[in-house]
Amino acid sequence: MGNMQISINESQERKTKPSTDGIAFGRNFTDHMFIADYTEGIGWHDHRIVPYEPITLDPSAVIFHYGQTVFEGLKAYRAKDGAIRLFRPEENFRRMNESCDRLCMPQIDEEDALKALKTLIKVERDWVPEAEGTSLYIRPYMIATEPHLGVAPSLTYKFIIILSPVGSYYKEGIAPVKILVENEYVRAVAGGTGAAKTAGNYAASLKAQAVAEKMGYSQVLWLDGVEKKYVEEVGSMNVFFKIDGEVITPALNGSILGGITRKSIIEMLQAWGTPVTERRISMEEIKTAQQEGRLDEAFGTGTAAVISPIGEFSWKGEAFTINGGQAGELSTKLYEELTGLQSGVKEDPFGWVTEIREEAAVRN
Ligand SMILES: *Cc1c(COP(=O)(O)O)cnc(C)c1O
């Protein structure tokens, strides 16, 4: 690696681009995708951009049986001046390698992966939507492809990047959600795979989510898998609480996924001089703070929504309102700063944004 060559096979057909107005998340894909193959003893090879189409795998491929797979999620934004912006993409590929390590999957060359992503986006540049709040969602992932029913790491893999235009997460302003504190099911346990972005964690979360939805809640608040006392995450987002003016988020303990939005918010708050602490926080502490009027705000963080304020939580049959069910001042400010910086409306004092420039286009 290091001198990766990407072959480009341009699609003869071009899809009609959907209107991003009211577009469903993750159902529309661009004309091309990036693929690289891995073979034990050879390494990564055959880096290519090809038409977006179904892939063929042997029915005994390891991915289908033992879930050896990892994924990432990030977005490309169109700035007012037409430039395409990526938010901390190197963090995604670093995290992908950490996930791969946990799942006994091969490492990718992070620089090559970023180069592959930029090349693919240049090919698909017309797919990056322009309307405010819209973006091109990027899904890099790796799957174990060896035909083998033995429980062992696969000897072959595919690394793929697909792209999907997405609309604005909040159509009518940043809206708070109602969440249900989950007391039966757990998402992940210490020593398990909670800190890795791997499919099994999401399969394991569907049941609780379905139950919560049926009860009228939009997400579940996950507690630790041992004592079911300490807060871990909300849905597939990290979670923050503002109590007595201090911002608190659960410390990364091995079962929590370390979000890039989470990390950025911590760094942003530190830059602003706002007290922010990473530590263990129990449901009991949150309930007490709410009852004593000290719980100012709560919100989830992740690439999709950026900030998702929590307006109400229900725990053991009791419901608690946060900030009168409204988006708080800090949640709103963080949302505006982060989305402003991503889309280029605001300055990027942190150097988090990578612009994709047309003149550097690589065409083979
Ligand atoms: C992806 C993800 C997050 C958020 O990560 P970001 O990098 O901020 O998008 C949080 N929790 C879980 C479980 C996730 O899968």
Side-chain angles (χ1 to χ4, degrees), residues 183-226:
N183 282 306
E184 185 183 355
Y185 301 109
V186 298
R187 191 191 84 89
V189 292
T193 56
K197 237 172 156 63
T198 185
N201 296 338
Y202 304 84
S205 75
L206 298 175
K207 182 81 179 180
Q209 175 66 24
V211 172
E213 266 175 40
K214 220 172 250 173
M215 291 170 68
Y217 296 90
S218 56
Q219 299 282 342
V220 300
L221 188 76
W222 299 106
L223 302 181
D224 75 275
V226 179

Side-chain angles (χ1 to χ4, degrees), residues 71 73 92 95 187 197 202 233 235-238 257-262 301-304:
F71 70 94
N92 290 91
R95 181 170 69 188
R187 191 191 84 89
K197 237 172 156 63
Y202 304 84
E233 301 202 46
S236 49
M237 288 182 284
N238 295 114
L257 194 290
I260 295 158
T261 318
R262 174 188 181 276
T301 70
T303 294

Side-chain angles (χ1 to χ4, degrees), residues 111-145:
E111 274 173 37
D112 280 355
L114 185 54
K115 188 175 153 202
L117 172 59
K118 288 179 175 176
T119 308
L120 178 63
I121 290 177
K122 277 173 202 157
V123 171
E124 302 290 60
R125 58 181 304 109
D126 294 346
W127 281 90
V128 184
E130 283 169 13
E132 196 187 326
T134 65
S135 57
L136 186 65
Y137 183 79
I138 301 160
R139 171 55 60 91
Y141 64 106
M142 195 190 294
I143 53 173
T145 55

